[in-house]
Amino acid sequence: MFVTMDPARGQEAVGGTPGNRCCWLIAAILCQLALACAADGPPGAAIASAHPLATRAGLETLQNGGNAFDAAVTVSAALAVVEPYSSGIGGGGFWLLHRASDGRQIMVDGREKAPGAAYRRLYLDEHDNVREGASLEGALAAGIPGLAAGLGHLATNFGRLPIGKSLAPAVRLAREGFPVTQGYRDMAGWRLKALQKHPETARLYLANNALPEFGHPIIQEDLGNLLEQIGMNGPGYFYQGQFAQRLVEGVRAGGGIWSLEDLRNYVVAERAPIVTEYRGIRVVSAPPPSSGGIVLVQALEILEHEDLAGIDHITRMHIVIEAMRRAYRDRAVYLGDPDFVEVPTDRLLAPDYLAGLALTIDPKRATPSAELGDTPGLSLRGESTTHFSIMDTDGNRVAGTLSINLPFGAAFVPPGTGVLLNDEMDDFSIKPNTPNAYGLVGDHANSVAANKRPLSSMTPTFVETEDRIGILGTPGGSRIISMVLLGVLDFGDGHGPESWVKVRRYHHQYLPDEVQFEPHGLVAYEQEELRRLGHTLKQTSYSYGDMHAVMWDRKNNQIFAAADPRGEGKAALLPDP
Ligand code: GLY
């Protein structure tokens, strides 16, 4: 088991009973018992997710005897129902796992794959121009979904409960409906035209083809039936047989290129996480096809060379921005699906390379990105992804980040299936070195190819010290990684999850060469000082991110969970204190 006794507490108990051998023995035995209990796991379980109904559903599974992995199945499925704008059975995601019984840590990669008929120029016209919207809306925009396979993998290989039991709360939510919230209205408003264009989508997610009122119930009968069938027959129900046939027919009728073979051949991958040691903190994060872990670790390793504790507040902020700038630079050039391209992970994380990058930081001046050499930039997409964190009383952990890309994905539902399709194909670089609709330019490593997974920024992460174990992650497109970085630095400063989720957010991603910050992300004097150092600043028109985090304080044997105040999520403990 990864979790070990806390030697400090042992010393304290022994030292408190001198001079009496009998009392000493009893105290020693009691102490060992207490330590054994503490070593077994935290004093309670914790869930933090982006929707109160999903958190509640996860608690139900824990109360029914499920472990964190069963609860992850429940929460993922429930989020697929109640946040159709963020993730779904028509999408995919990453689940970073820690199994307490043997300390095993892996990432279950349920990322979508390009259909077998996809090819490099799929979204370009005969003049090599990007076909407007083709990778963003409608059936052609959808990759082969990985969520159902991911849930099956979690339940079969890590869970305790039959998958049907873990899916039951989501089936209920789909059939009984959930009320429209302000968040729902914001997301549906963003994609209103796309939702209105497709009658099945409008029937399910709008009210009389208009934005539904606050409180309006969203009922998804077909999705409930599908989840129930997956519960009874396993994920094969989704990928093979009559249901798969219906999906493929619907996709092809909508202009897509899926085949039955694509669905039948979809498999999840188990991938070794990216791990580093940063100032005594073990950081465990998402490997490719996510860019998250590599960029996060690069930034932390660069920062390891800086005296963050000994410098003033503004210089620290400037150095963190410069580390972001450098870490994001490599992303677009080298990162892609590791099953297709050789990702030079060792080279990108080599201590000498990162020490060299740290040396290029001038504490008194912003480095123009152009000075670091030319490389493609990044988009700001994927705002609508979702994240949850779970820990159970055995100490099992899940950091799950799931997505269908833009709000409501491709805005297309093959009729009668209940499957709202993703538009994750837009996470490929559609045309190398040419900005797409979101300003993205990328390179060969992430170009479109048959059966390939698009590069992601999702960064489910664990942070571990002797005393504290944290789980965190967030949606937010390319800003995901910088948000997790700021969260990890806040953990390093000794704060708990209530603080990580609130951290004021600023971001640099190499190109565009600007520091983006949310409203109130930088106060006036910070803006002034950063400008003086040569940074160009750009305030976003909205607060971004929706971080959900859990922490077990092993020293004091306490558990904490926190939901991002920017969103509508809910953090809960079991038992409820
Ligand atoms: N679709 C958002 C991401 O994977 O980064």
Side-chain angles (χ1 to χ4, degrees):
M1 190 164 147
F2 176 74
V3 176
T4 52
M5 288 191 335
D6 176 3
R9 271 181 298 171
Q11 263 175 3
E12 206 175 81
V14 172
T17 56
N20 182 323
R21 192 175 155 75
C22 179
C23 288
W24 186 90
L25 269 176
I26 291 168
I29 290 166
L30 286 175
C31 169
Q32 285 305 315
L33 279 174
L35 286 172
C37 290
D40 271 350
I47 301 181
S49 92
H51 201 291
L53 292 172
T55 298
R56 195 192 298 164
L59 293 176
E60 185 182 323
T61 290
L62 292 176
Q63 280 163 328
N64 284 338
N67 60 16
F69 311 117
D70 299 304
V73 171
T74 305
V75 173
S76 303
L79 288 171
V81 173
V82 299
E83 276 196 319
Y85 40 85
S86 287
S87 67
I89 200 76
F94 301 134
W95 297 266
L96 183 67
L97 312 182
H98 170 91
R99 184 165 62 191
S101 59
D102 58 2
R104 183 160 185 243
Q105 296 187 321
I106 57 124
M107 188 182 85
V108 174
D109 171 1
R111 180 75 163 160
E112 298 87 337
K113 292 175 91 165
Y119 54 97
R120 191 176 172 120
R121 298 185 60 260
L122 178 62
Y123 298 104
L124 304 182
D125 66 17
E126 66 276 21
H127 306 295
D128 257 8
N129 296 319
V130 174
R131 285 201 271 149
E132 194 77 28
S135 62
L136 289 167
E137 190 191 315
L140 188 63
I144 304 301
L147 195 93
L151 299 186
H153 192 84
L154 283 176
T156 307
N157 297 287
F158 298 92
R160 285 204 278 250
L161 300 180
I163 187 169
K165 197 156 172 101
S166 301
L167 291 179
V171 173
R172 210 173 54 227
L173 284 168
R175 287 185 173 147
E176 290 175 3
F178 67 91
V180 163
T181 61
Q182 190 52 48
Y184 185 104
R185 281 175 56 82
D186 291 346
M187 293 294 192
W190 180 353
R191 296 302 303 283
L192 186 59
K193 281 206 176 92
L195 295 171
Q196 285 169 330
K197 212 186 286 177
H198 303 283
E200 181 75 344
T201 319
R203 178 181 77 78
L204 286 164
Y205 300 114
L206 298 177
N208 299 322
N209 219 30
L211 211 54
E213 292 301 326
F214 195 83
H216 173 87
I218 300 293
I219 294 168
Q220 301 165 86
E221 196 66 47
D222 291 333
L223 178 57
N225 294 342
L226 169 61
L227 291 169
E228 186 176 64
Q229 288 296 335
I230 293 174
M232 289 192 293
N233 302 300
Y237 181 84
F238 184 93
Y239 293 98
Q240 289 166 36
Q242 272 181 9
F243 186 82
Q245 179 90 40
R246 201 177 316 151
L247 265 181
V248 168
E249 280 166 12
V251 164
R252 294 186 87 93
I257 53 171
W258 290 15
S259 71
L260 280 173
E261 202 186 5
D262 292 335
L263 284 168
R264 196 172 49 245
N265 290 341
Y266 184 89
V267 281
V268 298
E270 283 195 359
R271 303 200 189 268
I274 298 286
V275 181
T276 195
E277 197 79 27
Y278 167 75
R279 296 184 205 270
I281 303 168
R282 187 170 183 271
V283 180
V284 183
S285 194
S290 174
S291 57
I294 289 182
V295 175
L296 175 66
V297 166
Q298 281 193 322
L300 288 169
E301 295 282 314
I302 292 169
L303 291 173
E304 180 109 51
H305 292 274
E306 307 288 343
D307 177 20
L308 291 189
I311 53 182
D312 65 274
H313 171 70
I314 293 294
T315 308
R316 176 180 156 128
M317 210 166 227
H318 163 67
I319 300 261
V320 170
I321 290 165
E322 291 300 319
M324 287 176 184
R325 183 201 304 274
R326 284 154 179 79
Y328 270 88
R329 180 173 168 272
D330 287 333
R331 180 196 188 273
V333 181
Y334 299 109
L335 301 191
D337 183 347
D339 296 340
F340 280 74
V341 290
E342 202 168 320
V343 178
T345 306
D346 290 348
R347 194 146 49 87
L348 295 176
L349 299 183
D352 285 354
Y353 173 59
L354 296 169
L357 286 183
L359 279 175
T360 66
I361 296 180
D362 181 342
K364 302 252 177 273
R365 181 187 78 103
T367 311
S369 290
E371 274 184 23
L372 295 176
D374 198 17
T375 195
L378 296 162
S379 76
L380 295 178
R381 56 195 148 173
E383 294 293 340
S384 64
T385 305
T386 193
H387 176 85
F388 66 85
S389 296
I390 301 180
M391 189 180 294
D392 68 20
T393 48
D394 289 332
N396 295 311
R397 299 175 228 153
V398 182
T401 313
L402 315 171
S403 183
I404 53 169
N405 205 25
L406 287 191
F408 294 91
F412 184 85
V413 179
T417 63
V419 178
L420 177 59
L421 299 182
N422 68 84
D423 58 351
E424 220 75 68
M425 293 295 284
D426 195 62
D427 270 352
F428 281 115
S429 82
I430 301 306
K431 181 179 178 185
N433 301 325
T434 303
N436 71 359
Y438 287 81
L440 174 79
V441 283
D443 214 339
H444 170 71
N446 188 35
S447 60
V448 185
N451 306 313
K452 188 176 176 183
R453 288 175 157 100
L455 186 63
S456 171
S457 296
M458 295 188 284
T459 314
T461 297
F462 300 147
V463 277
E464 307 167 349
T465 66
E466 241 337 85
D467 293 340
R468 298 181 301 150
I469 301 286
I471 310 173
L472 69 159
T474 177
S478 59
R479 296 189 195 113
I480 289 176
I481 313 169
S482 64
M483 286 186 263
V484 173
L485 172 67
L486 295 175
V488 171
L489 294 177
D490 202 52
F491 173 89
D493 288 341
H495 301 131
E498 282 286 349
S499 171
W500 317 337
V501 301
K502 280 192 207 144
V503 164
R504 293 185 288 129
R505 290 173 181 155
Y506 55 91
H507 171 81
H508 199 297
Q509 58 179 36
Y510 178 70
L511 290 177
D513 189 351
E514 62 194 20
V515 180
Q516 296 156 18
F517 63 102
E518 61 179 353
H520 312 295
L522 297 173
V523 297
Y525 102 91
E526 291 167 340
Q527 294 179 34
E528 202 175 301
E529 291 297 309
L530 287 173
R531 277 200 191 95
R532 199 179 50 75
L533 287 167
H535 293 284
T536 300
L537 304 185
K538 184 174 178 191
Q539 184 179 317
T540 57
S541 55
Y542 52 92
S543 296
Y544 57 83
D546 196 14
M547 184 175 281
H548 300 288
V550 162
M551 188 183 84
W552 174 22
D553 175 348
R554 289 198 283 191
K555 193 163 173 199
N556 300 300
N557 205 28
Q558 283 181 294
I559 188 145
F560 303 90
D564 196 319
R566 298 163 186 81
E568 297 178 335
K570 168 96 181 144
L573 303 181
L574 194 70
D576 184 351

